[in-house]
């Protein structure tokens, strides 16, 4: 089936705050959601019951709703009056509003409820099961047949079930039921039974179970019936929670002794052309709460999804299995750890991996389960996924017990990216962001805008899920040394819905290599948290791969100064109570690794600085490969091999000074370094093998030697890195030396004198002109003089660059190459003409490979060695060109020049 296209309008977003009033480009319309998902995650306006919905069915564009409630009311925020609806409602599939069909399911004693709804194959008869004694006053006994066309009870259908009916399945001539009953029509039928579809007469089908039945499904060929429930035996044979029986006799044809945990039950069964799917719920420890796929041919398991969280309903639709649960722990299938509950999920019918569809409810009233039943309805060529249960919110907004999602009309935009930018060497900026969340699109398109431009400088496509939001990045290789840039990022989904632009990420490109971070990257860090982030919740990964971002938990203190490394980098502060950072990527750690961080503290309560654990927001139950501090300030590096194996420093490091710690493990065993020096080693080459996440600032420490008072750490961290290899002692010492070297200093020098010579006016002097000019024929040559400072003590010149600004006149740019050459003759601004112009030398110090029209600053690097020899003196430069296309620049006298021509010098340690 072709998927309906989304009704998304292309969006134009203003880049507020850039000063340019720029508008982002329009995004073309595309498919509504990321295939194979068939529904958006945008909840539609729907009437809502005042109780719990247990059952749903659909026929002819009408959705039938059964449950335990007495009325339905208009959607939240809309007008209209509540209507009586006693345990049943019929709603329009396309509008969510009540139809003219009204049925009341009542009982003389106790609380009536409708627990199961299903339709005959021709969709002319609706069968309703539950606990009730009458429908609109017509006597029935917990199972009724409703004529769909007239919305009336079929009086001739009169089976007598002595207790609650919880599940139904129907063929052309038979209704199969499961529930709590022990007799039907006065005859023994324990929890499962079959009756005639026309008159309700009891069939010989006998599949007696020792505990309640909760699910019934007939094979597509009608020969078998799959049973689910609480039972441990069927017809006296061991088969817990699941069984396959003959559709005529009820005789067992497939048993499942030991297949499902004894403290788990089957709550729902659904089928498609390839097999069956079970929804399972457990109680207590060691339960099975997930989903199973069974082959249609042999009824054997195809896959098993062991997520924890009480699955209530499954629905296969267009090769996707939608499920209702409160899944809170999918770590056993390589997904998210124990934590937040997720109530609606989707996965391929062929595997356990979750897809990018995750609208959500809360647990709600009653048992606090959330959603309990799913059904698909269709009207006007649009399909609707209906969800019922006991929830009271949907996607964070008030909506009780009933909601729906359509196959068209995706209007939800992705979340706003959290973007940062960093530059570690001239000519390169790394723009990075945590991938956005979109509840029905896992593949998003990101557009990166530089400065105030309304045209993206780059487009990146990246995948994300609600539990897997890796960092995406793009490298700008057109960034000029010494210049400052701003970037913003937007996210667009398949329907064209576009997020607001990210907050502006600003960066200044260095004029020389930033030694410490560049070395960390060069040595192969696969995670590099510098903690320079200005806002919550993202911790940018500055490694070369740029994918291992972190997430702040409980708002640690950002941008703490001074940081550990000389220069502008900042640190992060942890309160020792509940703040920490956890990695956004679930991973396993190989046999060789290195962890590295800088820390500063005066705590006397100890705590974990950095380590690996199997959870994110909760304390881990598996944890090692970590560094922690004892109460007296000593450092401990430990791994778990079946027993804790640790190296502990003799000295304390809680002296409120910055310290560098590195821990390695590989074929040579474990080694611990502090401040560049080895502090201990251990011949241990293994550690605990599990999937987990890196944590900074705290995680579990129970069972480890010399445990601190708290598992959370109070202090600052900086420059945290993880490597998939063992750093050598020399590399560790080099990192320590680079970080403690004097910081680079940048000096900017404006031109003391500038002028140009003009062959067309050989005697004219332009020293007081606001313009400078460069051309080869007829000749214009510009001359610049800078008073160079001496190098600060203990430093050398590391880089130099020249910045000029084109004027606003038309055609001020040039297609020709402009060279920067040394001036060898004497000259003055006030006295230079074409006739007495000074001589120039070779080789060129730098060049501009053409400069576009439009008034803007342009920068080129200069030969460092040539300028280093002239430090402390006045130094002359000339701008020359061989071509005929003139370049026009602002001189130092022009206010519009804004400080150009400008020489930028960077000094640092030799």
């Amino acid at each position: 089936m072709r998927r309906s296209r989304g009704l998304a309008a292309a969006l134009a977003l203003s880049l507020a705050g850039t000063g340019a009033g720029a508008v982002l480009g329009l995004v073309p319309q595309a498919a509504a959601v990321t295939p194979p998902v068939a529904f958006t995650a945008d909840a539609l306006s729907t009437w809502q019951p005042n109780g719990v919905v247990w059952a749903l069915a659909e026929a002819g564009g009408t959705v039938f709703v059964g449950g335990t409630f007495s009325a339905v009311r208009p959607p939240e925020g809309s007008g209209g009056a509540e209507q009586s609806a006693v345990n049943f409602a019929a709603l329009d599939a396309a509008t969510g509003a009540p139809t003219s069909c009204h049925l009341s399911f009542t009982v003389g004693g106790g609380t009536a409820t409708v627990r199961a709804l299903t339709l005959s194959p021709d969709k002319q008869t609706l069968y309703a099961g539950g606990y009730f004694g009458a429908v609109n006053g017509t006597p029935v006994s917990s199972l009724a047949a409703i004529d769909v066309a007239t919305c009336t009870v079929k009086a001739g259908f009169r089976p007598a079930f002595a207790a609650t009916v919880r599940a139904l399945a129907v063929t052309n001539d038979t209704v199969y039921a499961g529930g709590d009953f022990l007799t039907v029509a006065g005859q023994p039928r324990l929890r499962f039974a079959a009756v005639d579809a026309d008159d309700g007469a009891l069939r010989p089908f006998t599949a007696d179970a020792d505990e309640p039945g909760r699910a019934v499904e007939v094979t597509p060929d009608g020969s078998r019936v799959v049973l689910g429930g609480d039972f441990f035996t069927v017809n006296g044979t061991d088969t817990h929670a699941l069984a396959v029986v003959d559709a005529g006799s009820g005789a067992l044809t497939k048993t499942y002794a030991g297949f499902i945990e004894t403290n788990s039950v089957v709550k729902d069964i659904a089928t498609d052309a390839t097999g069956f799917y079970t929804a399972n719920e457990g109680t207590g420890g060691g339960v099975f709460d997930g989903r199973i796929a069974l082959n249609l041919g042999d009824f054997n398991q195809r896959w098993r999804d062991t997520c924890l969280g009480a699955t209530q309903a499954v629905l296969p639709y267009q090769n996707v299995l939608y499920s209702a649960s409160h899944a809170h722990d999918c770590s056993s299938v390589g997904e998210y750890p124990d934590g937040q509950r997720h109530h609606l999920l989707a996965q391929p019918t062929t595997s356990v991996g979750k897809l990018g569809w995750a609208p959500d409810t809360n647990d709600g009233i009653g048992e606090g389960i959330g959603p309990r039943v799913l059904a698909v309805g269709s009207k006007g060529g649009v399909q609707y996924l209906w969800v019922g249960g006991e929830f009271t919110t949907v996607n964070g907004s008030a909506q009780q017990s009933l909601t729906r999602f359509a196959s068209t009309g995706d209007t939800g935009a992705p979340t706003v990216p959290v973007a940062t930018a960093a530059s570690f060497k001239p000519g390169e900026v790394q723009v990075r962001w945590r991938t956005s969340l979109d509840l029905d699109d896992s593949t998003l398109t990101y557009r990166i805008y530089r400065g105030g431009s309304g045209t993206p400088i780059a487009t990146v496509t990246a995948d994300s899920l609600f539990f897997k939001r890796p960092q995406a990045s793009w490298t700008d290789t057109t960034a000029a040394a010494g210049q400052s840039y701003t970037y913003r990022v937007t996210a667009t989904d398949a329907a064209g819905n576009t997020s607001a632009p990210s907050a502006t990420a600003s960066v200044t490109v260095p004029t020389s290599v930033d030694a410490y971070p560049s070395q960390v990257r060069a040595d192969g860090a696969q995670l590099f948290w510098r903690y320079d982030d200005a806002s919550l919740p993202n911790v940018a990964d500055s490694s070369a791969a740029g994918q291992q971002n972190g997430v702040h938990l409980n708002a640690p203190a950002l941008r703490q100064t001074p940081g550990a490394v000389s220069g502008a980098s900042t640190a992060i502060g942890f309160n020792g109570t509940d703040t920490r950072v956890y990695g956004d990527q679930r991973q396993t750690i190989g046999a060789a690794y290195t962890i590295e961080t800088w820390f500063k503290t005066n705590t006397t309560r100890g705590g974990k600085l950095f380590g690996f654990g199997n959870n994110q927001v909760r304390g881990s139950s598996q944890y090692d490969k970590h560094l922690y501090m004892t109460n007296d300030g000593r450092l401990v590096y430990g791994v778990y091999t079946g027993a804790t194996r640790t190296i502990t420093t003799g000295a304390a490091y809680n002296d409120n000074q910055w310290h560098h710690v590195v821990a390695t493990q590989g074929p040579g065993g474990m080694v611990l370094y502090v401040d560049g020096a080895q502090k201990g080693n251990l011949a241990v080459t293994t550690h605990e093998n599990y999937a987990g996440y890196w944590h900074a600032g705290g995680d579990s420490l129970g069972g480890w030697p010399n445990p601190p008072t708290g598992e959370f750490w109070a202090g600052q961290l900086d420059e945290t890195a993880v490597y998939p290899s063992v750093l050598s002692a020399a590399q560790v010492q080099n990192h320590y030396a680079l970080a403690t070297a004097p910081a680079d200093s940048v000096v900017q020098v404006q031109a003391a004198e500038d002028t140009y010579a003009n062959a067309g006016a050989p005697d004219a002097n332009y020293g007081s002109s606001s313009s400078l000019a460069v051309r080869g024929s007829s000749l214009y040559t510009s001359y610049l003089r800078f008073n160079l400072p001496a190098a600060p003590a203990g430093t050398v010149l590391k880089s130099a660059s020249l910045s000029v600004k084109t004027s606003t006149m038309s055609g001020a740019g040039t297609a020709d190459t402009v060279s920067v050459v040394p001036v060898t003759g004497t000259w003055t601004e006030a006295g230079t003409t074409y006739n007495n112009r000074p001589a120039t030398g070779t080789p060129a110090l730098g060049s501009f490979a053409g400069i576009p029209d439009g008034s803007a600053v342009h920068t080129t690097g200069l030969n460092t060695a040539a300028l280093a020899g002239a430090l402390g003196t006045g130094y002359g430069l000339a701008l020359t060109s061989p071509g005929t296309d003139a370049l026009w620049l602002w001189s130092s006298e022009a206010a519009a020049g804004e400080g150009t021509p400008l020489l930028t010098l960077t000094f640092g340690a030799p």
Side-chain angles (χ1 to χ4, degrees):
M1 174 178 282
R2 288 179 61 85
R3 193 178 311 285
S4 300
R5 297 181 70 84
L7 302 178
L11 301 179
L13 297 176
S14 173
L15 283 175
T18 64
V23 175
L24 305 191
L26 296 179
V27 177
Q29 196 174 47
V33 292
T34 301
V37 169
F39 303 98
T40 80
D42 304 318
L44 299 177
S45 174
T46 310
W47 280 58
Q48 50 196 310
N50 63 354
V52 177
V53 171
W54 297 100
L56 293 168
E58 184 269 347
T62 297
V63 173
F64 303 104
V65 182
T68 311
F69 50 85
S70 61
V72 292
R73 63 184 185 275
E76 292 290 332
S78 63
E82 183 177 89
Q83 296 183 12
S84 175
V86 182
N87 302 312
F88 178 87
L91 305 179
D92 186 281
T95 67
T99 69
S100 59
C101 178
H102 298 283
L103 299 172
S104 295
F105 287 74
T106 56
V107 69
T111 301
T113 183
V114 175
R115 292 300 181 107
L117 294 171
T118 194
L119 285 142
S120 60
D122 61 9
K123 292 202 169 186
Q124 294 183 14
T125 303
L126 173 68
Y127 295 92
Y131 179 68
F132 46 83
V135 179
N136 281 2
T138 299
V140 292
S141 184
S142 294
L143 179 61
I146 312 298
D147 181 75
V148 172
T150 62
C151 188
T152 58
V153 178
K154 290 188 172 184
F157 182 82
R158 293 289 300 275
F161 282 79
T164 303
V165 173
R166 297 182 179 274
L168 294 172
V170 181
T171 65
N172 288 325
D173 58 7
T174 304
V175 178
Y176 296 92
D180 300 347
F181 51 86
L182 301 179
T183 63
V184 179
Q187 299 299 310
R189 290 293 189 275
L190 277 62
R191 283 92 184 192
F192 293 101
V195 298
D196 186 276
D198 291 327
D199 60 12
L202 185 65
R203 292 292 179 91
F205 175 93
T206 301
D208 289 343
D210 61 336
E211 295 289 345
R214 297 181 181 273
V216 181
E217 191 69 37
V218 182
T219 60
D221 65 3
S223 67
R224 298 287 187 270
V225 179
V226 186
L227 311 177
D230 301 9
F231 52 82
F232 290 86
T233 65
V234 172
N235 291 339
T237 300
D238 289 344
T239 180
H240 174 53
L242 189 65
V244 182
V245 298
D246 181 83
S249 67
L252 278 161
T253 61
K254 177 77 172 181
T255 60
Y256 293 91
F259 183 67
I260 293 173
E261 280 73 359
T262 57
N263 53 354
S264 298
V265 302
V266 170
K267 298 296 292 287
D268 187 30
I269 301 172
T271 186
D272 63 10
T274 65
F276 287 87
Y277 308 89
T278 69
N280 304 272
E281 177 186 77
T283 303
V287 301
F288 173 53
D289 263 352
R291 294 157 287 282
I292 300 173
L294 300 137
N295 296 320
L296 189 59
D298 57 13
F299 300 102
N300 288 331
Q301 178 176 296
R302 186 162 73 224
W303 53 255
R304 179 179 292 223
D305 184 337
T306 53
C307 288
L308 295 174
T311 306
Q312 303 297 304
V314 286
L315 175 65
Y317 182 76
Q318 294 185 355
N319 301 316
V320 172
L321 184 69
Y322 298 89
S323 59
S325 68
H326 54 247
H328 58 86
D329 185 354
C330 288
S331 58
S332 62
V333 293
E335 295 173 336
Y336 56 91
D338 194 12
Q340 179 182 347
R341 293 183 171 196
H342 300 277
H343 297 83
L344 295 169
L345 299 174
Q347 61 199 100
T349 53
T350 56
S351 67
V352 302
K354 305 305 179 294
L355 297 170
W357 185 83
D360 205 13
T361 73
N362 64 354
D363 290 344
I365 59 177
E367 294 179 52
I369 293 293
R372 288 185 176 273
V373 62
L374 306 169
V376 172
S378 178
K379 189 169 185 180
V382 178
Q383 289 72 47
Y384 300 91
L385 175 62
W386 285 70
V387 180
E390 57 198 52
F391 48 85
T392 58
T393 67
V394 180
N395 291 341
S397 298
Q399 176 70 23
Q400 183 172 345
S401 298
L402 197 61
T403 189
R404 60 202 176 99
F405 307 92
S407 60
T408 61
D410 180 13
T411 60
T415 58
V416 179
V418 180
T420 60
S423 183
F424 308 109
K425 63 182 181 180
E428 187 174 293
V429 172
Q430 184 190 49
V431 183
R432 58 274 176 100
W433 59 95
R434 187 189 190 200
T435 45
S436 296
L437 173 62
D438 190 291
L439 295 178
D440 47 31
D441 287 281
S442 56
T443 301
L444 300 176
T445 299
Y446 298 90
R447 291 174 172 82
I448 301 98
Y449 299 83
R450 190 170 76 178
S453 176
T455 302
I457 192 173
T459 299
V460 173
T461 299
D463 292 336
S464 58
L465 297 167
F466 68 89
F467 60 88
K468 186 179 182 181
R469 296 173 61 186
Q471 180 171 290
S473 64
W474 171 77
T475 300
D476 184 357
T477 58
T478 66
Q483 294 301 299
S484 296
Y485 296 92
T486 60
Y487 300 87
R488 302 185 87 174
V489 181
T490 64
T492 302
D493 68 12
N497 301 304
T498 300
S499 73
S502 68
T504 298
S506 301
V507 65
T508 298
V509 182
T511 56
S512 63
V513 172
D514 194 348
Y516 183 85
S518 295
Q519 193 62 55
V520 170
R521 287 157 58 95
D523 285 340
Q526 65 178 189
L527 176 154
F528 187 18
W529 295 344
R530 303 204 73 199
Y531 306 116
D532 295 334
D533 314 282
S535 60
L536 302 169
N538 190 52
V539 181
D541 176 16
S542 293
S543 71
Q547 296 182 334
Q548 301 284 345
N549 58 306
V551 180
H552 299 113
L553 183 63
N554 296 323
L558 305 183
R559 298 189 66 80
Q560 302 293 288
T561 57
V565 176
S566 301
S569 183
T570 60
I572 190 170
F574 299 98
N575 62 13
T577 302
D578 62 357
T579 58
R580 60 174 164 170
V581 170
Y582 62 84
D584 220 7
Q585 285 264 52
R586 191 172 189 262
Q587 57 190 289
T588 55
I589 308 303
Y593 64 90
T594 297
I595 55 180
E596 173 182 40
T597 195
W598 288 77
F599 68 93
K600 176 183 177 182
T601 187
N602 60 1
T603 184
T604 57
R605 293 172 50 84
K608 184 179 290 191
L609 284 71
F610 189 76
F612 195 71
N614 68 338
N615 215 314
Q616 286 178 307
V617 299
R618 296 185 179 182
S620 297
S621 59
Q622 293 175 286
Y623 40 94
D624 75 334
K625 298 174 281 294
H626 53 204
L627 292 162
Y628 64 92
M629 180 173 279
T630 62
N631 287 346
D632 59 6
R634 291 176 297 145
L635 291 173
V636 182
Y637 164 39
V639 301
Y640 187 73
T641 63
T644 58
R645 306 301 301 272
T646 60
I647 302 171
T648 304
T649 65
Y653 295 95
N654 56 346
D655 56 2
N656 218 29
Q657 301 295 315
W658 280 111
H659 295 283
H660 179 232
V661 58
V662 176
T664 71
Q665 186 180 28
M670 300 167 58
V671 183
L672 177 64
Y673 303 87
V674 181
D675 294 338
Q678 182 175 318
K679 297 298 180 181
N681 60 76
L682 198 61
V684 174
T685 59
T686 61
H687 53 78
E688 189 171 10
N689 184 24
Y690 58 93
Y693 308 84
W694 290 109
H695 300 82
D699 194 16
S700 303
L701 275 171
W704 285 80
N706 299 311
T709 300
E711 295 179 338
F712 289 90
W713 187 72
Q716 295 181 356
L717 292 181
D718 201 3
E719 309 294 333
T720 300
V722 178
Y723 306 78
S725 60
V726 174
L727 291 187
S728 67
Q731 287 175 307
V732 172
Q733 291 161 6
N734 185 38
H735 288 198
Y736 179 67
L738 288 174
T740 54
D744 289 353
S745 60
V746 177
V747 178
Q748 292 185 320
V749 184
Q750 293 183 356
E753 295 185 281
D754 55 13
T755 187
Y756 72 97
N758 179 1
D763 294 323
N765 171 262
Y766 296 95
S768 61
S769 172
S770 62
S771 297
L772 300 172
V774 184
R775 185 169 63 192
S777 178
S778 59
L779 184 106
Y780 296 149
T781 301
S782 290
Y783 302 95
L784 317 172
R785 189 193 314 280
F786 297 91
N787 293 326
L788 302 182
T795 68
V796 297
L797 182 66
K798 297 179 68 175
S799 67
S801 63
L802 173 66
S803 299
V804 295
K805 186 176 183 181
T806 46
S807 74
T808 53
M809 69 180 292
S810 178
T814 181
D816 300 326
T817 296
V818 175
S819 296
V820 183
V821 299
V823 176
T824 58
T826 59
W827 64 282
T828 63
E829 178 181 279
T832 297
T833 67
Y834 176 81
N835 286 333
N836 67 4
R837 67 190 186 278
T840 57
T842 57
L845 304 172
S847 65
F848 298 90
I851 293 178
D853 290 344
S855 183
V857 174
H858 299 274
T859 302
T860 183
L862 300 180
N863 183 290
T864 304
L867 269 71
L871 292 175
T873 68
Y875 190 70
L877 304 174
L879 302 178
T880 65
S881 172
T884 59
D885 186 11
L887 171 68
W888 290 91
L889 305 172
W890 292 119
S891 74
S892 59
E893 281 80 11
E898 297 173 347
T900 60
L902 182 71
L903 198 63
T904 300
L905 307 175
T906 301
F907 298 94

